[in-house]
Amino acid sequence: MSRSFPQFILHKLWSIQDSLDLVGFKSVLLNDFTTILYGVPRLINELRILVKPTNKGFIELISDTIARELGLLAFKNDIKRFLESQGMVRVNPVTIPITYIVLANSEFYKSILEDSRLVELNGYRIRIPELEPYIGYLFSLGLSYPHIVDVITLLTIHCDRIDIKRLSKYNVTRSAVCGLIRDLYTEVSMFYEIEDIVSKAIEKYC
């Protein structure tokens, strides 16, 4: 039986992460697919994988692994060059969305990698950040569209499980969260079904 396009993407993501893991590199998935896994419907415009460097020859090994998994062996040296010079590379595998490989060269990114978990979907195990570090990561992008929509939605629908003190570890303050949720309440106050959900979030964060 042939796979649907989302299943094909899921299979490829699992394959990339599994191959990186086999050669000693921990990775987490960011952006569109992770947002979906946390319950927010999104178009999959890109795939973004954060990889933790571990040893002296890591760029060569990561480049080789990524090039093989994406069917881009002819561009292995280009992938290596961008990882060395910019700490990230953007590739177009054609069969799946634009894919970014980002090296966790900062302490902030390294903490996101460490504060992660495996989720199982349709028999595949994918590693993603825990909810609080993921929201912190989205905050770090500057709250531009569409990231601000993801942040507000995640803060609202998961308010029961979010640890506000844990958020502060990722540079997200209670006052910033409260401000976003209050702004949302102003916009949805005429829709009672949503108003109740947002009111609950205001009680939690404000």
Side-chain angles (χ1 to χ4, degrees):
M1 182 182 295
S2 61
R3 299 186 183 99
S4 66
F5 187 52
Q7 287 175 321
F8 179 76
I9 294 174
L10 180 61
H11 173 79
K12 184 55 68 175
L13 286 170
W14 165 80
S15 184
I16 292 170
Q17 285 199 316
D18 187 59
S19 295
L20 287 169
D21 188 60
L22 286 173
V23 291
F25 298 104
K26 189 175 184 177
S27 66
V28 294
L29 182 62
L30 300 173
N31 290 40
D32 297 345
F33 217 92
T34 299
T35 297
I36 291 170
L37 290 174
Y38 275 118
V40 182
R42 283 289 304 278
L43 292 174
I44 303 173
N45 295 309
E46 66 172 56
L47 305 176
R48 190 172 293 253
I49 300 172
L50 182 65
V51 184
K52 182 180 181 181
T54 57
N55 54 57
K56 188 174 181 180
F58 70 88
I59 288 184
E60 179 76 29
L61 198 51
I62 291 174
S63 302
D64 182 70
T65 302
I66 296 302
R68 288 181 183 279
E69 283 299 321
L70 297 179
L72 297 171
L73 278 174
F75 300 97
K76 174 187 169 181
N77 289 335
D78 294 316
I79 292 172
K80 179 183 176 183
R81 177 166 53 86
F82 276 98
L83 288 176
E84 288 176 332
S85 63
Q86 299 183 22
M88 67 171 292
V89 63
R90 174 183 182 270
V91 296
N92 184 1
V94 181
T95 56
I96 60 175
I98 297 294
T99 302
Y100 293 82
I101 306 299
V102 182
L103 299 181
N105 288 327
S106 69
E107 291 303 316
F108 180 74
Y109 276 157
K110 288 176 184 176
S111 65
I112 291 173
L113 262 165
E114 293 307 315
D115 202 353
S116 61
R117 66 190 181 96
L118 287 170
V119 296
E120 188 165 328
L121 183 63
N122 293 340
Y124 294 103
R125 301 183 79 193
I126 302 293
R127 182 171 292 279
I128 63 173
E130 291 282 3
L131 187 55
E132 289 87 352
Y134 183 57
I135 291 173
Y137 161 75
L138 292 174
F139 254 85
S140 75
L141 300 178
L143 294 182
S144 58
Y145 180 84
H147 307 303
I148 189 170
V149 176
D150 294 342
V151 166
I152 292 173
T153 306
L154 291 171
L155 286 169
T156 304
I157 66 175
H158 293 298
C159 70
D160 285 340
R161 60 180 286 196
I162 288 176
D163 183 341
I164 193 70
K165 291 183 179 179
R166 194 176 179 192
L167 274 179
S168 65
K169 177 183 175 183
Y170 298 95
N171 306 318
V172 182
T173 65
R174 179 185 290 272
S175 60
V177 171
C178 179
L180 286 175
I181 300 302
R182 286 194 181 280
D183 288 344
L184 175 62
Y185 183 82
T186 301
E187 298 297 327
V188 304
S189 58
M190 294 180 62
F191 304 94
Y192 69 88
E193 300 95 337
I194 304 176
E195 183 184 11
D196 290 344
I197 298 172
V198 179
S199 295
K200 186 177 180 181
I202 288 176
E203 291 178 8
K204 166 71 176 282
Y205 301 121
C206 303

CSV table of all heavy atoms in Angstrom, one decimal, residues 1-15 33 36-37 44 118-127:
chain,number,residue,atom,x,y,z
A,1,MET,N,0.8,-1.2,0.0
A,1,MET,CA,0.0,0.0,0.0
A,1,MET,C,0.9,1.3,0.0
A,1,MET,O,1.8,1.4,0.8
A,1,MET,CB,-0.9,0.0,1.2
A,1,MET,CG,-1.9,1.2,1.3
A,1,MET,SD,-2.9,1.2,2.8
A,1,MET,CE,-3.8,-0.4,2.5
A,2,SER,N,0.6,2.2,-0.9
A,2,SER,CA,1.4,3.4,-1.0
A,2,SER,C,1.1,4.3,0.2
A,2,SER,O,0.0,4.3,0.7
A,2,SER,CB,1.2,4.1,-2.3
A,2,SER,OG,-0.2,4.5,-2.4
A,3,ARG,N,2.1,5.1,0.6
A,3,ARG,CA,1.9,6.0,1.7
A,3,ARG,C,1.3,7.3,1.2
A,3,ARG,O,1.5,7.8,0.1
A,3,ARG,CB,3.2,6.4,2.4
A,3,ARG,CG,4.0,5.2,3.0
A,3,ARG,CD,5.2,5.7,3.7
A,3,ARG,NE,6.0,4.6,4.3
A,3,ARG,CZ,7.1,4.1,3.7
A,3,ARG,NH1,7.5,4.6,2.6
A,3,ARG,NH2,7.7,3.1,4.2
A,4,SER,N,0.5,8.0,2.1
A,4,SER,CA,0.0,9.3,1.8
A,4,SER,C,1.2,10.3,2.0
A,4,SER,O,2.3,9.9,2.5
A,4,SER,CB,-1.1,9.7,2.8
A,4,SER,OG,-0.5,9.8,4.1
A,5,PHE,N,1.1,11.5,1.5
A,5,PHE,CA,2.2,12.5,1.6
A,5,PHE,C,2.6,12.7,3.0
A,5,PHE,O,3.8,12.7,3.3
A,5,PHE,CB,1.8,13.7,0.8
A,5,PHE,CG,2.9,14.7,0.7
A,5,PHE,CD1,4.2,14.3,0.2
A,5,PHE,CD2,2.8,16.0,1.1
A,5,PHE,CE1,5.2,15.2,0.1
A,5,PHE,CE2,3.8,16.9,1.1
A,5,PHE,CZ,5.1,16.5,0.5
A,6,PRO,N,1.6,13.0,3.9
A,6,PRO,CA,2.0,13.2,5.3
A,6,PRO,C,2.8,11.9,5.9
A,6,PRO,O,3.7,12.1,6.7
A,6,PRO,CB,0.7,13.4,6.1
A,6,PRO,CG,-0.2,14.0,5.0
A,6,PRO,CD,0.2,13.3,3.8
A,7,GLN,N,2.3,10.8,5.6
A,7,GLN,CA,3.0,9.5,6.0
A,7,GLN,C,4.4,9.4,5.5
A,7,GLN,O,5.3,9.0,6.1
A,7,GLN,CB,2.1,8.3,5.7
A,7,GLN,CG,0.9,8.1,6.5
A,7,GLN,CD,0.0,7.0,6.0
A,7,GLN,OE1,-0.1,6.8,4.8
A,7,GLN,NE2,-0.6,6.2,6.9
A,8,PHE,N,4.5,9.8,4.2
A,8,PHE,CA,5.8,9.8,3.6
A,8,PHE,C,6.8,10.7,4.3
A,8,PHE,O,8.0,10.4,4.6
A,8,PHE,CB,5.7,10.2,2.1
A,8,PHE,CG,7.0,10.2,1.4
A,8,PHE,CD1,7.6,9.0,1.0
A,8,PHE,CD2,7.7,11.4,1.1
A,8,PHE,CE1,8.9,9.0,0.3
A,8,PHE,CE2,8.9,11.4,0.4
A,8,PHE,CZ,9.5,10.2,0.0
A,9,ILE,N,6.3,11.9,4.6
A,9,ILE,CA,7.1,12.9,5.4
A,9,ILE,C,7.5,12.4,6.7
A,9,ILE,O,8.6,12.4,7.2
A,9,ILE,CB,6.4,14.2,5.5
A,9,ILE,CG1,6.2,14.9,4.1
A,9,ILE,CG2,7.1,15.2,6.4
A,9,ILE,CD1,5.3,16.1,4.2
A,10,LEU,N,6.5,11.8,7.4
A,10,LEU,CA,6.8,11.2,8.7
A,10,LEU,C,7.8,10.1,8.6
A,10,LEU,O,8.7,10.0,9.5
A,10,LEU,CB,5.4,10.6,9.3
A,10,LEU,CG,5.5,10.0,10.7
A,10,LEU,CD1,6.0,11.0,11.7
A,10,LEU,CD2,4.1,9.4,11.0
A,11,HIS,N,7.7,9.2,7.6
A,11,HIS,CA,8.7,8.2,7.5
A,11,HIS,C,10.1,8.8,7.2
A,11,HIS,O,11.1,8.3,7.8
A,11,HIS,CB,8.3,7.3,6.3
A,11,HIS,CG,9.4,6.3,5.9
A,11,HIS,ND1,9.5,5.1,6.6
A,11,HIS,CD2,10.3,6.3,4.9
A,11,HIS,CE1,10.5,4.4,6.1
A,11,HIS,NE2,11.0,5.1,5.1
A,12,LYS,N,10.2,9.8,6.4
A,12,LYS,CA,11.5,10.4,6.1
A,12,LYS,C,12.1,11.1,7.4
A,12,LYS,O,13.3,11.0,7.6
A,12,LYS,CB,11.3,11.4,5.0
A,12,LYS,CG,12.6,12.0,4.5
A,12,LYS,CD,13.7,11.0,4.1
A,12,LYS,CE,13.3,10.3,2.9
A,12,LYS,NZ,14.4,9.3,2.5
A,13,LEU,N,11.2,11.8,8.1
A,13,LEU,CA,11.7,12.4,9.4
A,13,LEU,C,12.2,11.4,10.3
A,13,LEU,O,13.3,11.5,10.9
A,13,LEU,CB,10.6,13.2,10.0
A,13,LEU,CG,10.2,14.5,9.3
A,13,LEU,CD1,8.9,15.0,10.0
A,13,LEU,CD2,11.3,15.5,9.5
A,14,TRP,N,11.5,10.3,10.5
A,14,TRP,CA,11.9,9.2,11.4
A,14,TRP,C,13.3,8.6,10.9
A,14,TRP,O,14.2,8.4,11.7
A,14,TRP,CB,10.9,8.1,11.4
A,14,TRP,CG,11.5,6.8,12.0
A,14,TRP,CD1,11.7,6.5,13.3
A,14,TRP,CD2,12.0,5.7,11.3
A,14,TRP,NE1,12.3,5.3,13.5
A,14,TRP,CE2,12.5,4.8,12.2
A,14,TRP,CE3,12.1,5.4,9.9
A,14,TRP,CZ2,13.1,3.6,11.8
A,14,TRP,CZ3,12.7,4.2,9.5
A,14,TRP,CH2,13.2,3.3,10.5
A,15,SER,N,13.4,8.4,9.6
A,15,SER,CA,14.6,7.9,9.0
A,15,SER,C,15.8,8.8,9.2
A,15,SER,O,16.9,8.3,9.5
A,15,SER,CB,14.4,7.6,7.5
A,15,SER,OG,15.5,7.0,6.9
A,33,PHE,N,5.9,20.6,11.8
A,33,PHE,CA,5.5,19.3,12.2
A,33,PHE,C,5.4,19.2,13.7
A,33,PHE,O,4.5,18.5,14.2
A,33,PHE,CB,6.5,18.2,11.6
A,33,PHE,CG,5.8,17.0,11.2
A,33,PHE,CD1,5.4,16.8,9.9
A,33,PHE,CD2,5.6,16.0,12.1
A,33,PHE,CE1,4.8,15.6,9.5
A,33,PHE,CE2,5.0,14.8,11.7
A,33,PHE,CZ,4.6,14.6,10.4
A,36,ILE,N,2.1,20.7,14.8
A,36,ILE,CA,1.0,19.8,14.5
A,36,ILE,C,1.0,18.7,15.6
A,36,ILE,O,-0.1,18.3,16.1
A,36,ILE,CB,1.2,19.1,13.1
A,36,ILE,CG1,1.0,20.2,12.0
A,36,ILE,CG2,0.3,18.0,12.9
A,36,ILE,CD1,1.4,19.7,10.6
A,37,LEU,N,2.1,18.1,16.0
A,37,LEU,CA,2.1,17.1,17.0
A,37,LEU,C,1.6,17.6,18.3
A,37,LEU,O,1.2,16.8,19.1
A,37,LEU,CB,3.6,16.5,17.1
A,37,LEU,CG,4.0,15.7,15.9
A,37,LEU,CD1,5.5,15.3,16.1
A,37,LEU,CD2,3.2,14.4,15.7
A,44,ILE,N,2.4,22.0,6.2
A,44,ILE,CA,3.8,21.6,6.4
A,44,ILE,C,4.6,22.4,5.3
A,44,ILE,O,4.7,21.9,4.1
A,44,ILE,CB,4.0,20.1,6.3
A,44,ILE,CG1,3.1,19.4,7.4
A,44,ILE,CG2,5.5,19.8,6.5
A,44,ILE,CD1,3.2,17.9,7.3
A,118,LEU,N,10.4,11.6,23.1
A,118,LEU,CA,10.0,10.8,22.0
A,118,LEU,C,8.5,10.7,21.9
A,118,LEU,O,7.8,10.4,22.9
A,118,LEU,CB,10.6,9.4,22.0
A,118,LEU,CG,12.1,9.3,21.7
A,118,LEU,CD1,12.6,7.9,22.0
A,118,LEU,CD2,12.4,9.7,20.2
A,119,VAL,N,7.9,10.9,20.7
A,119,VAL,CA,6.5,10.7,20.6
A,119,VAL,C,6.3,9.6,19.5
A,119,VAL,O,7.1,9.6,18.5
A,119,VAL,CB,5.7,12.0,20.2
A,119,VAL,CG1,5.8,13.0,21.3
A,119,VAL,CG2,6.3,12.6,18.9
A,120,GLU,N,5.2,8.8,19.6
A,120,GLU,CA,5.0,7.8,18.7
A,120,GLU,C,3.8,8.1,17.9
A,120,GLU,O,2.7,8.5,18.4
A,120,GLU,CB,4.8,6.4,19.4
A,120,GLU,CG,4.7,5.3,18.4
A,120,GLU,CD,4.9,3.9,19.0
A,120,GLU,OE1,5.6,3.8,20.1
A,120,GLU,OE2,4.3,3.0,18.5
A,121,LEU,N,3.9,8.0,16.6
A,121,LEU,CA,2.8,8.3,15.6
A,121,LEU,C,2.8,7.4,14.5
A,121,LEU,O,3.8,7.3,13.7
A,121,LEU,CB,2.9,9.8,15.1
A,121,LEU,CG,1.8,10.3,14.2
A,121,LEU,CD1,0.5,10.4,14.9
A,121,LEU,CD2,2.2,11.7,13.7
A,122,ASN,N,1.7,6.6,14.4
A,122,ASN,CA,1.6,5.6,13.3
A,122,ASN,C,2.8,4.6,13.2
A,122,ASN,O,3.3,4.3,12.2
A,122,ASN,CB,1.5,6.3,11.9
A,122,ASN,CG,0.1,7.0,11.8
A,122,ASN,OD1,-0.8,6.7,12.6
A,122,ASN,ND2,0.1,8.0,10.9
A,123,GLY,N,3.3,4.3,14.4
A,123,GLY,CA,4.4,3.3,14.5
A,123,GLY,C,5.8,4.0,14.4
A,123,GLY,O,6.8,3.2,14.5
A,124,TYR,N,5.9,5.3,14.2
A,124,TYR,CA,7.2,6.0,14.1
A,124,TYR,C,7.4,6.7,15.4
A,124,TYR,O,6.5,7.3,15.9
A,124,TYR,CB,7.2,6.9,12.9
A,124,TYR,CG,7.1,6.3,11.5
A,124,TYR,CD1,5.9,6.3,10.8
A,124,TYR,CD2,8.2,5.7,11.0
A,124,TYR,CE1,5.8,5.7,9.6
A,124,TYR,CE2,8.1,5.1,9.7
A,124,TYR,CZ,6.9,5.1,9.0
A,124,TYR,OH,6.8,4.5,7.8
A,125,ARG,N,8.7,6.7,15.8
A,125,ARG,CA,9.1,7.5,17.0
A,125,ARG,C,9.9,8.7,16.6
A,125,ARG,O,10.9,8.6,15.9
A,125,ARG,CB,9.9,6.6,17.9
A,125,ARG,CG,9.1,5.4,18.4
A,125,ARG,CD,9.9,4.6,19.4
A,125,ARG,NE,9.8,5.2,20.7
A,125,ARG,CZ,10.6,4.8,21.7
A,125,ARG,NH1,11.6,3.9,21.6
A,125,ARG,NH2,10.5,5.4,22.9
A,126,ILE,N,9.4,9.9,16.9
A,126,ILE,CA,10.0,11.1,16.5
A,126,ILE,C,10.3,11.9,17.8
A,126,ILE,O,9.5,12.0,18.7
A,126,ILE,CB,9.0,12.0,15.6
A,126,ILE,CG1,8.6,11.2,14.4
A,126,ILE,CG2,9.6,13.3,15.3
A,126,ILE,CD1,9.7,11.0,13.4
A,127,ARG,N,11.5,12.5,17.8
A,127,ARG,CA,11.9,13.3,19.0
A,127,ARG,C,11.6,14.8,18.7
A,127,ARG,O,12.0,15.3,17.7
A,127,ARG,CB,13.4,13.1,19.3
A,127,ARG,CG,13.9,13.9,20.5
A,127,ARG,CD,15.3,13.5,20.9
A,127,ARG,NE,15.4,12.2,21.4
A,127,ARG,CZ,15.1,11.8,22.6
A,127,ARG,NH1,14.6,12.6,23.5
A,127,ARG,NH2,15.2,10.5,23.0
